[in-house]
Amino acid sequence: MTVKRDMPIILDHYIDGRYVQSASQETFASINPARGTIHATVALGGQEEIDLAAGAAQAAFQSGVWSKKSMAERCAVLGRVADLLLERLDEFAELETIDNGKPITETSQGDIPRSAQNFRFFSQYAQSFVEECYTTNQVERHIAIREPIGVCGLITPWNLPLYLATWKIAPALAMGNSIVLKPAEATPATATRLASLLRDAGVPDGVFNVVNGLGAGSAGEALTRHPLVRSISFTGETATGRAIMRTAADSLKKLSFELGGKGANIIFADADLNEAIPTAVRAAFRNQGQICLAGSRLFVERKIYKQVVDAMVEHAKNIRVGDPLAPDTQMGALVTEEHLQKVMSYLDLAKRDGRILCGGYRIKDLEPGLFLSPSIVVDLAPDSRFMLEEIFGPTLPILPFDTEEEALQLANSTPYGLSASVWSQDIDRIERMTSGIKAGMIWVNTWFARDLRTPFGGQKDSGLGREGGRYSLEFFSEAKTISYKYRA
Ligand code: NAD
């Protein structure tokens, strides 16, 4: 791709309450994937910047300027962050769309409002977080309190940049921690901007820090190795999770991993197809298919297989792909050239091992933008790479099944276990399917529905631990048991 230069914005690190360049002055380019132009010049951080940020975070933590505030005071600040983010919704939505390539309707109606909601939710929920107390007998009582951990390292991916960063920042701040965030190198813009918004809302200097840079051998790895950083909350690829676990082992950090997925979407013949089919289209193609919770494998009972495949193809052909900033665009650009090439390599496999019924090519008219036409693939073997590996793009394989047992076997056939959907009107079958599927989250006759109090995360290679509600608050705190003996 030939890269042209727009009027790039500057994205520095944010350390100890100030935007700063790298000591080396090195930078890297952030590309607008819809236009192929450089839209931001980003400071390239490494060990030195991580040292500075971790030091500032530790000093702020020890000063008590945030960690010793009352929960009510901290939550009031988080509430103000939500207000400020909503006031600046248009600016953040546009920035996210330019950085990531996703449609403006998704950032303005989905990602950014949800980012504000992450702060609003934890500002309210954390205030009713219950600590434990057991009166064992007439002379003995045991209480278990939660204390902040200290410096928390957060590492986030590019597919839902601000949404997933704030999902970690809000509970970490609520519990009184200090933070060093390393956003994805492909989408650093909104997290970097968020830093000044947190300051305006009242987060003291040093409590929230952002270091921009790459992963392995760069800022990301330095963060996972740093002795002052006591925990790492990571969302990204399974292979990266493994690498982080190895690096973090030496300093025995507390770890939370939200990793890859290959969600099964299972439609039985008794399902309400008027709901199931349009939802299956959204589950496969929303965010260009770049969602860990995507319904990225569709299994359909053979009796209705042809009907569903025909309808899915019809829907996929009608998806409006184009300029992500246009309000009627339904599908935007893929995030990077490298990622587009990866998805296209899987489409080559699909041509060889199966049959592509629609789409599956790069849209020439929109080049140098990174646009793919949404594709539906059939006739693949259940154990083909296309069916088992995470592709993370706008391409959906569909396979028929005859029995519940077969559907279960197909659903559980990948190393992943993040999410699944089951469509049926039969409550007994739903019970059998939901108990048989090995996944952290299962939807019945819906997809993507969430209550932020429920545990969020994956089984098998999809993760370690859970986020959401008390699960996040527990991760971002240490339990301490204090036992009393007293005279009644
Ligand atoms: P990625 O693992 O390549 O990168 C994620 C982050 O990790 C980036 O900030 C990157 O710089 C950093 N990183 C990379 N190598 C590192 C290392 N060795 N040490 C420390 N940090 C390192 O993931 P991605 O491509 O940005 O995101 C897509 C992946 O994220 C997909 O697999 C998707 O399923 C997953 N994801 C999971 C969830 C979930 O909740 N389970 C949500 C969204 C995305």
PDB file of all heavy atoms in Angstrom, residues 155-159 164 182-185 213-216 220-221 224 234-238 240 243-244 258-261 292 390 392 418 456 462, ligand 1:
ATOM      1  N   ILE A 155      -3.349  -3.865  28.854  1.00  0.00           N
ATOM      2  CA  ILE A 155      -2.903  -3.997  27.454  1.00  0.00           C
ATOM      3  C   ILE A 155      -4.129  -4.343  26.614  1.00  0.00           C
ATOM      4  O   ILE A 155      -4.837  -5.318  26.910  1.00  0.00           O
ATOM      5  CB  ILE A 155      -1.824  -5.085  27.311  1.00  0.00           C
ATOM      6  CG1 ILE A 155      -0.633  -4.766  28.224  1.00  0.00           C
ATOM      7  CG2 ILE A 155      -1.366  -5.209  25.861  1.00  0.00           C
ATOM      8  CD1 ILE A 155       0.486  -5.790  28.185  1.00  0.00           C
ATOM      9  N   THR A 156      -4.390  -3.527  25.586  1.00  0.00           N
ATOM     10  CA  THR A 156      -5.680  -3.649  24.887  1.00  0.00           C
ATOM     11  C   THR A 156      -5.511  -3.832  23.374  1.00  0.00           C
ATOM     12  O   THR A 156      -4.490  -3.444  22.806  1.00  0.00           O
ATOM     13  CB  THR A 156      -6.543  -2.397  25.185  1.00  0.00           C
ATOM     14  OG1 THR A 156      -5.747  -1.230  24.962  1.00  0.00           O
ATOM     15  CG2 THR A 156      -7.026  -2.408  26.623  1.00  0.00           C
ATOM     16  N   PRO A 157      -6.543  -4.404  22.724  1.00  0.00           N
ATOM     17  CA  PRO A 157      -6.475  -4.681  21.278  1.00  0.00           C
ATOM     18  C   PRO A 157      -7.100  -3.546  20.457  1.00  0.00           C
ATOM     19  O   PRO A 157      -7.606  -2.571  21.010  1.00  0.00           O
ATOM     20  CB  PRO A 157      -7.320  -5.943  21.161  1.00  0.00           C
ATOM     21  CG  PRO A 157      -8.389  -5.754  22.183  1.00  0.00           C
ATOM     22  CD  PRO A 157      -7.789  -4.952  23.299  1.00  0.00           C
ATOM     23  N   TRP A 158      -7.103  -3.743  19.132  1.00  0.00           N
ATOM     24  CA  TRP A 158      -7.544  -2.673  18.234  1.00  0.00           C
ATOM     25  C   TRP A 158      -9.010  -2.785  17.809  1.00  0.00           C
ATOM     26  O   TRP A 158      -9.534  -1.892  17.157  1.00  0.00           O
ATOM     27  CB  TRP A 158      -6.666  -2.660  16.964  1.00  0.00           C
ATOM     28  CG  TRP A 158      -6.483  -4.016  16.322  1.00  0.00           C
ATOM     29  CD1 TRP A 158      -5.363  -4.801  16.433  1.00  0.00           C
ATOM     30  CD2 TRP A 158      -7.418  -4.758  15.534  1.00  0.00           C
ATOM     31  NE1 TRP A 158      -5.553  -5.978  15.752  1.00  0.00           N
ATOM     32  CE2 TRP A 158      -6.812  -5.977  15.186  1.00  0.00           C
ATOM     33  CE3 TRP A 158      -8.713  -4.505  15.081  1.00  0.00           C
ATOM     34  CZ2 TRP A 158      -7.445  -6.958  14.417  1.00  0.00           C
ATOM     35  CZ3 TRP A 158      -9.358  -5.479  14.321  1.00  0.00           C
ATOM     36  CH2 TRP A 158      -8.721  -6.685  14.000  1.00  0.00           C
ATOM     37  N   ASN A 159      -9.683  -3.879  18.125  1.00  0.00           N
ATOM     38  CA  ASN A 159     -11.000  -4.069  17.486  1.00  0.00           C
ATOM     39  C   ASN A 159     -12.110  -3.234  18.119  1.00  0.00           C
ATOM     40  O   ASN A 159     -13.033  -2.811  17.441  1.00  0.00           O
ATOM     41  CB  ASN A 159     -11.372  -5.554  17.427  1.00  0.00           C
ATOM     42  CG  ASN A 159     -11.570  -6.159  18.791  1.00  0.00           C
ATOM     43  OD1 ASN A 159     -10.861  -5.823  19.736  1.00  0.00           O
ATOM     44  ND2 ASN A 159     -12.535  -7.042  18.902  1.00  0.00           N
ATOM     45  N   LEU A 164     -12.953  -1.378  25.059  1.00  0.00           N
ATOM     46  CA  LEU A 164     -12.296  -2.400  25.876  1.00  0.00           C
ATOM     47  C   LEU A 164     -11.293  -1.794  26.857  1.00  0.00           C
ATOM     48  O   LEU A 164     -11.086  -2.337  27.942  1.00  0.00           O
ATOM     49  CB  LEU A 164     -11.623  -3.444  24.982  1.00  0.00           C
ATOM     50  CG  LEU A 164     -12.624  -4.327  24.231  1.00  0.00           C
ATOM     51  CD1 LEU A 164     -11.903  -5.257  23.271  1.00  0.00           C
ATOM     52  CD2 LEU A 164     -13.488  -5.132  25.189  1.00  0.00           C
ATOM     53  N   LYS A 182      -1.195   0.341  27.837  1.00  0.00           N
ATOM     54  CA  LYS A 182      -0.502   0.255  26.538  1.00  0.00           C
ATOM     55  C   LYS A 182      -1.581  -0.095  25.511  1.00  0.00           C
ATOM     56  O   LYS A 182      -1.986  -1.239  25.369  1.00  0.00           O
ATOM     57  CB  LYS A 182       0.560  -0.849  26.602  1.00  0.00           C
ATOM     58  CG  LYS A 182       1.764  -0.618  25.693  1.00  0.00           C
ATOM     59  CD  LYS A 182       1.449  -0.552  24.227  1.00  0.00           C
ATOM     60  CE  LYS A 182       1.270  -1.911  23.603  1.00  0.00           C
ATOM     61  NZ  LYS A 182       0.749  -1.859  22.229  1.00  0.00           N
ATOM     62  N   PRO A 183      -2.079   0.926  24.773  1.00  0.00           N
ATOM     63  CA  PRO A 183      -3.123   0.647  23.778  1.00  0.00           C
ATOM     64  C   PRO A 183      -2.542  -0.065  22.555  1.00  0.00           C
ATOM     65  O   PRO A 183      -1.329  -0.016  22.327  1.00  0.00           O
ATOM     66  CB  PRO A 183      -3.622   2.034  23.366  1.00  0.00           C
ATOM     67  CG  PRO A 183      -2.842   3.039  24.146  1.00  0.00           C
ATOM     68  CD  PRO A 183      -1.683   2.346  24.786  1.00  0.00           C
ATOM     69  N   ALA A 184      -3.405  -0.673  21.762  1.00  0.00           N
ATOM     70  CA  ALA A 184      -2.960  -1.333  20.536  1.00  0.00           C
ATOM     71  C   ALA A 184      -2.293  -0.311  19.615  1.00  0.00           C
ATOM     72  O   ALA A 184      -2.781   0.809  19.464  1.00  0.00           O
ATOM     73  CB  ALA A 184      -4.139  -1.976  19.822  1.00  0.00           C
ATOM     74  N   GLU A 185      -1.204  -0.710  18.992  1.00  0.00           N
ATOM     75  CA  GLU A 185      -0.460   0.220  18.138  1.00  0.00           C
ATOM     76  C   GLU A 185      -1.264   0.646  16.907  1.00  0.00           C
ATOM     77  O   GLU A 185      -1.030   1.718  16.344  1.00  0.00           O
ATOM     78  CB  GLU A 185       0.889  -0.375  17.713  1.00  0.00           C
ATOM     79  CG  GLU A 185       0.838  -1.767  17.106  1.00  0.00           C
ATOM     80  CD  GLU A 185       0.955  -2.875  18.163  1.00  0.00           C
ATOM     81  OE1 GLU A 185       0.367  -2.724  19.254  1.00  0.00           O
ATOM     82  OE2 GLU A 185       1.637  -3.880  17.880  1.00  0.00           O
ATOM     83  N   GLY A 213       3.181   2.305  21.883  1.00  0.00           N
ATOM     84  CA  GLY A 213       4.295   1.513  21.365  1.00  0.00           C
ATOM     85  C   GLY A 213       3.808   0.167  20.889  1.00  0.00           C
ATOM     86  O   GLY A 213       2.607  -0.077  20.796  1.00  0.00           O
ATOM     87  N   LEU A 214       4.768  -0.710  20.604  1.00  0.00           N
ATOM     88  CA  LEU A 214       4.433  -2.019  20.059  1.00  0.00           C
ATOM     89  C   LEU A 214       4.343  -3.030  21.204  1.00  0.00           C
ATOM     90  O   LEU A 214       4.461  -2.666  22.372  1.00  0.00           O
ATOM     91  CB  LEU A 214       5.478  -2.432  19.034  1.00  0.00           C
ATOM     92  CG  LEU A 214       5.841  -1.352  17.989  1.00  0.00           C
ATOM     93  CD1 LEU A 214       6.898  -1.888  17.024  1.00  0.00           C
ATOM     94  CD2 LEU A 214       4.617  -0.881  17.209  1.00  0.00           C
ATOM     95  N   GLY A 215       4.165  -4.323  20.831  1.00  0.00           N
ATOM     96  CA  GLY A 215       4.006  -5.362  21.846  1.00  0.00           C
ATOM     97  C   GLY A 215       5.308  -6.050  22.186  1.00  0.00           C
ATOM     98  O   GLY A 215       6.086  -5.581  23.021  1.00  0.00           O
ATOM     99  N   ALA A 216       5.588  -7.171  21.480  1.00  0.00           N
ATOM    100  CA  ALA A 216       6.788  -7.963  21.776  1.00  0.00           C
ATOM    101  C   ALA A 216       8.042  -7.124  21.556  1.00  0.00           C
ATOM    102  O   ALA A 216       8.160  -6.414  20.556  1.00  0.00           O
ATOM    103  CB  ALA A 216       6.823  -9.196  20.878  1.00  0.00           C
ATOM    104  N   GLY A 220       4.875  -3.022  25.261  1.00  0.00           N
ATOM    105  CA  GLY A 220       3.972  -4.040  25.833  1.00  0.00           C
ATOM    106  C   GLY A 220       4.739  -5.044  26.679  1.00  0.00           C
ATOM    107  O   GLY A 220       4.392  -5.312  27.834  1.00  0.00           O
ATOM    108  N   GLU A 221       5.815  -5.562  26.103  1.00  0.00           N
ATOM    109  CA  GLU A 221       6.591  -6.572  26.833  1.00  0.00           C
ATOM    110  C   GLU A 221       7.262  -5.964  28.067  1.00  0.00           C
ATOM    111  O   GLU A 221       7.288  -6.585  29.144  1.00  0.00           O
ATOM    112  CB  GLU A 221       7.636  -7.189  25.900  1.00  0.00           C
ATOM    113  CG  GLU A 221       8.324  -8.380  26.537  1.00  0.00           C
ATOM    114  CD  GLU A 221       9.307  -9.050  25.584  1.00  0.00           C
ATOM    115  OE1 GLU A 221       9.054  -9.077  24.351  1.00  0.00           O
ATOM    116  OE2 GLU A 221      10.331  -9.548  26.070  1.00  0.00           O
ATOM    117  N   THR A 224       4.855  -5.905  30.896  1.00  0.00           N
ATOM    118  CA  THR A 224       4.559  -7.208  31.516  1.00  0.00           C
ATOM    119  C   THR A 224       5.732  -7.709  32.366  1.00  0.00           C
ATOM    120  O   THR A 224       5.569  -8.610  33.171  1.00  0.00           O
ATOM    121  CB  THR A 224       4.226  -8.271  30.452  1.00  0.00           C
ATOM    122  OG1 THR A 224       5.348  -8.425  29.586  1.00  0.00           O
ATOM    123  CG2 THR A 224       3.012  -7.895  29.650  1.00  0.00           C
ATOM    124  N   PHE A 234      -5.191  -8.163  30.254  1.00  0.00           N
ATOM    125  CA  PHE A 234      -4.866  -8.181  28.824  1.00  0.00           C
ATOM    126  C   PHE A 234      -6.064  -8.661  28.010  1.00  0.00           C
ATOM    127  O   PHE A 234      -6.706  -9.655  28.370  1.00  0.00           O
ATOM    128  CB  PHE A 234      -3.681  -9.128  28.585  1.00  0.00           C
ATOM    129  CG  PHE A 234      -3.458  -9.475  27.136  1.00  0.00           C
ATOM    130  CD1 PHE A 234      -2.937  -8.540  26.256  1.00  0.00           C
ATOM    131  CD2 PHE A 234      -3.795 -10.731  26.646  1.00  0.00           C
ATOM    132  CE1 PHE A 234      -2.744  -8.846  24.912  1.00  0.00           C
ATOM    133  CE2 PHE A 234      -3.612 -11.047  25.297  1.00  0.00           C
ATOM    134  CZ  PHE A 234      -3.088 -10.101  24.433  1.00  0.00           C
ATOM    135  N   THR A 235      -6.353  -7.984  26.911  1.00  0.00           N
ATOM    136  CA  THR A 235      -7.302  -8.488  25.914  1.00  0.00           C
ATOM    137  C   THR A 235      -6.590  -8.518  24.577  1.00  0.00           C
ATOM    138  O   THR A 235      -6.012  -7.506  24.160  1.00  0.00           O
ATOM    139  CB  THR A 235      -8.560  -7.604  25.840  1.00  0.00           C
ATOM    140  OG1 THR A 235      -9.183  -7.596  27.120  1.00  0.00           O
ATOM    141  CG2 THR A 235      -9.558  -8.142  24.816  1.00  0.00           C
ATOM    142  N   GLY A 236      -6.630  -9.672  23.921  1.00  0.00           N
ATOM    143  CA  GLY A 236      -5.960  -9.792  22.630  1.00  0.00           C
ATOM    144  C   GLY A 236      -5.897 -11.250  22.214  1.00  0.00           C
ATOM    145  O   GLY A 236      -6.700 -12.076  22.652  1.00  0.00           O
ATOM    146  N   GLU A 237      -4.915 -11.551  21.385  1.00  0.00           N
ATOM    147  CA  GLU A 237      -4.823 -12.907  20.828  1.00  0.00           C
ATOM    148  C   GLU A 237      -4.346 -13.921  21.869  1.00  0.00           C
ATOM    149  O   GLU A 237      -3.549 -13.594  22.756  1.00  0.00           O
ATOM    150  CB  GLU A 237      -3.840 -12.917  19.671  1.00  0.00           C
ATOM    151  CG  GLU A 237      -4.399 -12.275  18.418  1.00  0.00           C
ATOM    152  CD  GLU A 237      -3.424 -12.370  17.255  1.00  0.00           C
ATOM    153  OE1 GLU A 237      -2.521 -13.225  17.293  1.00  0.00           O
ATOM    154  OE2 GLU A 237      -3.579 -11.584  16.327  1.00  0.00           O
ATOM    155  N   THR A 238      -4.767 -15.170  21.664  1.00  0.00           N
ATOM    156  CA  THR A 238      -4.382 -16.242  22.575  1.00  0.00           C
ATOM    157  C   THR A 238      -2.858 -16.408  22.614  1.00  0.00           C
ATOM    158  O   THR A 238      -2.263 -16.560  23.697  1.00  0.00           O
ATOM    159  CB  THR A 238      -5.063 -17.554  22.126  1.00  0.00           C
ATOM    160  OG1 THR A 238      -6.480 -17.342  22.187  1.00  0.00           O
ATOM    161  CG2 THR A 238      -4.686 -18.712  23.024  1.00  0.00           C
ATOM    162  N   THR A 240      -0.598 -14.189  22.169  1.00  0.00           N
ATOM    163  CA  THR A 240      -0.008 -13.094  22.949  1.00  0.00           C
ATOM    164  C   THR A 240      -0.204 -13.350  24.440  1.00  0.00           C
ATOM    165  O   THR A 240       0.690 -13.089  25.250  1.00  0.00           O
ATOM    166  CB  THR A 240      -0.641 -11.743  22.549  1.00  0.00           C
ATOM    167  OG1 THR A 240      -0.651 -11.638  21.136  1.00  0.00           O
ATOM    168  CG2 THR A 240       0.112 -10.579  23.136  1.00  0.00           C
ATOM    169  N   ALA A 243       2.457 -15.584  25.608  1.00  0.00           N
ATOM    170  CA  ALA A 243       3.757 -14.890  25.721  1.00  0.00           C
ATOM    171  C   ALA A 243       3.783 -14.035  26.987  1.00  0.00           C
ATOM    172  O   ALA A 243       4.782 -14.013  27.723  1.00  0.00           O
ATOM    173  CB  ALA A 243       3.990 -14.024  24.476  1.00  0.00           C
ATOM    174  N   ILE A 244       2.671 -13.346  27.255  1.00  0.00           N
ATOM    175  CA  ILE A 244       2.622 -12.473  28.444  1.00  0.00           C
ATOM    176  C   ILE A 244       2.742 -13.309  29.717  1.00  0.00           C
ATOM    177  O   ILE A 244       3.442 -12.940  30.661  1.00  0.00           O
ATOM    178  CB  ILE A 244       1.320 -11.642  28.434  1.00  0.00           C
ATOM    179  CG1 ILE A 244       1.386 -10.599  27.308  1.00  0.00           C
ATOM    180  CG2 ILE A 244       1.075 -10.972  29.789  1.00  0.00           C
ATOM    181  CD1 ILE A 244       0.129  -9.776  27.137  1.00  0.00           C
ATOM    182  N   GLU A 258      -8.464 -11.948  28.375  1.00  0.00           N
ATOM    183  CA  GLU A 258      -9.627 -12.104  27.477  1.00  0.00           C
ATOM    184  C   GLU A 258      -9.046 -12.348  26.094  1.00  0.00           C
ATOM    185  O   GLU A 258      -8.469 -11.433  25.496  1.00  0.00           O
ATOM    186  CB  GLU A 258     -10.498 -10.839  27.478  1.00  0.00           C
ATOM    187  CG  GLU A 258     -11.097 -10.486  28.825  1.00  0.00           C
ATOM    188  CD  GLU A 258     -12.108 -11.499  29.307  1.00  0.00           C
ATOM    189  OE1 GLU A 258     -12.585 -12.311  28.495  1.00  0.00           O
ATOM    190  OE2 GLU A 258     -12.396 -11.508  30.511  1.00  0.00           O
ATOM    191  N   LEU A 259      -9.191 -13.561  25.576  1.00  0.00           N
ATOM    192  CA  LEU A 259      -8.431 -13.949  24.378  1.00  0.00           C
ATOM    193  C   LEU A 259      -9.341 -14.224  23.179  1.00  0.00           C
ATOM    194  O   LEU A 259     -10.479 -13.766  23.132  1.00  0.00           O
ATOM    195  CB  LEU A 259      -7.558 -15.156  24.727  1.00  0.00           C
ATOM    196  CG  LEU A 259      -6.671 -14.958  25.974  1.00  0.00           C
ATOM    197  CD1 LEU A 259      -5.907 -16.227  26.309  1.00  0.00           C
ATOM    198  CD2 LEU A 259      -5.716 -13.786  25.802  1.00  0.00           C
ATOM    199  N   GLY A 260      -8.855 -14.977  22.245  1.00  0.00           N
ATOM    200  CA  GLY A 260      -9.555 -15.166  20.973  1.00  0.00           C
ATOM    201  C   GLY A 260     -10.836 -15.985  21.085  1.00  0.00           C
ATOM    202  O   GLY A 260     -11.132 -16.579  22.121  1.00  0.00           O
ATOM    203  N   GLY A 261     -11.588 -16.012  19.994  1.00  0.00           N
ATOM    204  CA  GLY A 261     -12.837 -16.767  19.974  1.00  0.00           C
ATOM    205  C   GLY A 261     -13.147 -17.267  18.571  1.00  0.00           C
ATOM    206  O   GLY A 261     -12.554 -16.812  17.583  1.00  0.00           O
ATOM    207  N   CYS A 292     -14.456 -10.492  19.013  1.00  0.00           N
ATOM    208  CA  CYS A 292     -14.136 -11.785  19.643  1.00  0.00           C
ATOM    209  C   CYS A 292     -15.396 -12.614  19.857  1.00  0.00           C
ATOM    210  O   CYS A 292     -15.351 -13.841  19.821  1.00  0.00           O
ATOM    211  CB  CYS A 292     -13.426 -11.550  20.965  1.00  0.00           C
ATOM    212  SG  CYS A 292     -14.357 -10.478  22.067  1.00  0.00           S
ATOM    213  N   GLU A 390      -9.161 -18.793  14.297  1.00  0.00           N
ATOM    214  CA  GLU A 390      -9.797 -17.471  14.359  1.00  0.00           C
ATOM    215  C   GLU A 390      -9.338 -16.638  13.164  1.00  0.00           C
ATOM    216  O   GLU A 390      -8.144 -16.378  13.008  1.00  0.00           O
ATOM    217  CB  GLU A 390      -9.418 -16.757  15.667  1.00  0.00           C
ATOM    218  CG  GLU A 390     -10.192 -15.469  15.858  1.00  0.00           C
ATOM    219  CD  GLU A 390      -9.784 -14.692  17.110  1.00  0.00           C
ATOM    220  OE1 GLU A 390      -8.574 -14.572  17.363  1.00  0.00           O
ATOM    221  OE2 GLU A 390     -10.674 -14.198  17.809  1.00  0.00           O
ATOM    222  N   PHE A 392     -11.175 -13.591  12.142  1.00  0.00           N
ATOM    223  CA  PHE A 392     -11.388 -12.218  12.593  1.00  0.00           C
ATOM    224  C   PHE A 392     -11.629 -11.267  11.417  1.00  0.00           C
ATOM    225  O   PHE A 392     -11.090 -10.159  11.367  1.00  0.00           O
ATOM    226  CB  PHE A 392     -10.173 -11.752  13.420  1.00  0.00           C
ATOM    227  CG  PHE A 392     -10.546 -11.004  14.670  1.00  0.00           C
ATOM    228  CD1 PHE A 392     -11.389 -11.559  15.613  1.00  0.00           C
ATOM    229  CD2 PHE A 392     -10.039  -9.733  14.926  1.00  0.00           C
ATOM    230  CE1 PHE A 392     -11.720 -10.875  16.774  1.00  0.00           C
ATOM    231  CE2 PHE A 392     -10.365  -9.035  16.082  1.00  0.00           C
ATOM    232  CZ  PHE A 392     -11.199  -9.615  17.003  1.00  0.00           C
ATOM    233  N   LEU A 418     -15.195 -19.099  23.937  1.00  0.00           N
ATOM    234  CA  LEU A 418     -15.610 -17.773  24.425  1.00  0.00           C
ATOM    235  C   LEU A 418     -17.135 -17.646  24.460  1.00  0.00           C
ATOM    236  O   LEU A 418     -17.719 -17.415  25.515  1.00  0.00           O
ATOM    237  CB  LEU A 418     -14.986 -16.684  23.542  1.00  0.00           C
ATOM    238  CG  LEU A 418     -15.132 -15.253  24.032  1.00  0.00           C
ATOM    239  CD1 LEU A 418     -14.546 -15.079  25.431  1.00  0.00           C
ATOM    240  CD2 LEU A 418     -14.452 -14.268  23.080  1.00  0.00           C
ATOM    241  N   PHE A 456     -17.941 -11.984  32.341  1.00  0.00           N
ATOM    242  CA  PHE A 456     -17.612 -11.921  30.916  1.00  0.00           C
ATOM    243  C   PHE A 456     -16.245 -12.550  30.724  1.00  0.00           C
ATOM    244  O   PHE A 456     -15.270 -12.120  31.334  1.00  0.00           O
ATOM    245  CB  PHE A 456     -17.581 -10.455  30.469  1.00  0.00           C
ATOM    246  CG  PHE A 456     -17.172 -10.273  29.033  1.00  0.00           C
ATOM    247  CD1 PHE A 456     -18.132 -10.097  28.048  1.00  0.00           C
ATOM    248  CD2 PHE A 456     -15.835 -10.287  28.658  1.00  0.00           C
ATOM    249  CE1 PHE A 456     -17.755  -9.941  26.731  1.00  0.00           C
ATOM    250  CE2 PHE A 456     -15.450 -10.134  27.332  1.00  0.00           C
ATOM    251  CZ  PHE A 456     -16.428  -9.965  26.375  1.00  0.00           C
ATOM    252  N   SER A 462      -9.732 -19.400  25.345  1.00  0.00           N
ATOM    253  CA  SER A 462     -10.304 -18.057  25.184  1.00  0.00           C
ATOM    254  C   SER A 462     -10.081 -17.156  26.380  1.00  0.00           C
ATOM    255  O   SER A 462     -10.490 -15.991  26.339  1.00  0.00           O
ATOM    256  CB  SER A 462     -11.804 -18.146  24.890  1.00  0.00           C
ATOM    257  OG  SER A 462     -12.006 -18.569  23.568  1.00  0.00           O
TER     258      SER A 462
HETATM  259  P1  NAD B   1      -2.783  -8.818  19.861  1.00  0.00           P
HETATM  260  O1  NAD B   1      -2.628  -9.907  20.867  1.00  0.00           O
HETATM  261  O2  NAD B   1      -1.958  -8.868  18.637  1.00  0.00           O
HETATM  262  O3  NAD B   1      -2.426  -7.411  20.545  1.00  0.00           O
HETATM  263  C1  NAD B   1      -3.134  -6.948  21.666  1.00  0.00           C
HETATM  264  C2  NAD B   1      -2.224  -6.031  22.463  1.00  0.00           C
HETATM  265  O4  NAD B   1      -1.128  -6.784  22.979  1.00  0.00           O
HETATM  266  C3  NAD B   1      -1.622  -4.890  21.659  1.00  0.00           C
HETATM  267  O5  NAD B   1      -1.631  -3.729  22.459  1.00  0.00           O
HETATM  268  C4  NAD B   1      -0.209  -5.365  21.406  1.00  0.00           C
HETATM  269  O6  NAD B   1       0.725  -4.338  21.213  1.00  0.00           O
HETATM  270  C5  NAD B   1       0.089  -6.119  22.691  1.00  0.00           C
HETATM  271  N1  NAD B   1       1.131  -7.135  22.592  1.00  0.00           N
HETATM  272  C6  NAD B   1       1.448  -7.913  21.532  1.00  0.00           C
HETATM  273  N2  NAD B   1       2.458  -8.753  21.847  1.00  0.00           N
HETATM  274  C7  NAD B   1       2.784  -8.509  23.146  1.00  0.00           C
HETATM  275  C8  NAD B   1       3.748  -9.050  24.049  1.00  0.00           C
HETATM  276  N3  NAD B   1       4.572 -10.032  23.697  1.00  0.00           N
HETATM  277  N4  NAD B   1       3.781  -8.550  25.302  1.00  0.00           N
HETATM  278  C9  NAD B   1       2.942  -7.575  25.701  1.00  0.00           C
HETATM  279  N5  NAD B   1       2.011  -7.011  24.883  1.00  0.00           N
HETATM  280  C10 NAD B   1       1.944  -7.473  23.623  1.00  0.00           C
HETATM  281  O7  NAD B   1      -4.336  -8.731  19.549  1.00  0.00           O
HETATM  282  P2  NAD B   1      -5.050  -7.788  18.471  1.00  0.00           P
HETATM  283  O8  NAD B   1      -4.689  -8.304  17.115  1.00  0.00           O
HETATM  284  O9  NAD B   1      -4.795  -6.369  18.824  1.00  0.00           O
HETATM  285  O10 NAD B   1      -6.601  -8.075  18.776  1.00  0.00           O
HETATM  286  C11 NAD B   1      -7.338  -9.091  18.197  1.00  0.00           C
HETATM  287  C12 NAD B   1      -7.434 -10.265  19.139  1.00  0.00           C
HETATM  288  O11 NAD B   1      -8.041  -9.865  20.362  1.00  0.00           O
HETATM  289  C13 NAD B   1      -8.322 -11.389  18.610  1.00  0.00           C
HETATM  290  O12 NAD B   1      -7.715 -12.620  18.887  1.00  0.00           O
HETATM  291  C14 NAD B   1      -9.603 -11.246  19.423  1.00  0.00           C
HETATM  292  O13 NAD B   1     -10.379 -12.409  19.555  1.00  0.00           O
HETATM  293  C15 NAD B   1      -9.052 -10.800  20.732  1.00  0.00           C
HETATM  294  N6  NAD B   1     -10.103 -10.140  21.531  1.00  0.00           N
HETATM  295  C16 NAD B   1     -10.629 -10.802  22.605  1.00  0.00           C
HETATM  296  C17 NAD B   1     -11.649 -10.221  23.345  1.00  0.00           C
HETATM  297  C18 NAD B   1     -12.245 -10.915  24.546  1.00  0.00           C
HETATM  298  O14 NAD B   1     -12.931 -10.255  25.310  1.00  0.00           O
HETATM  299  N7  NAD B   1     -12.012 -12.197  24.741  1.00  0.00           N
HETATM  300  C19 NAD B   1     -12.126  -8.961  22.988  1.00  0.00           C
HETATM  301  C20 NAD B   1     -11.572  -8.325  21.876  1.00  0.00           C
HETATM  302  C21 NAD B   1     -10.550  -8.915  21.152  1.00  0.00           C
END
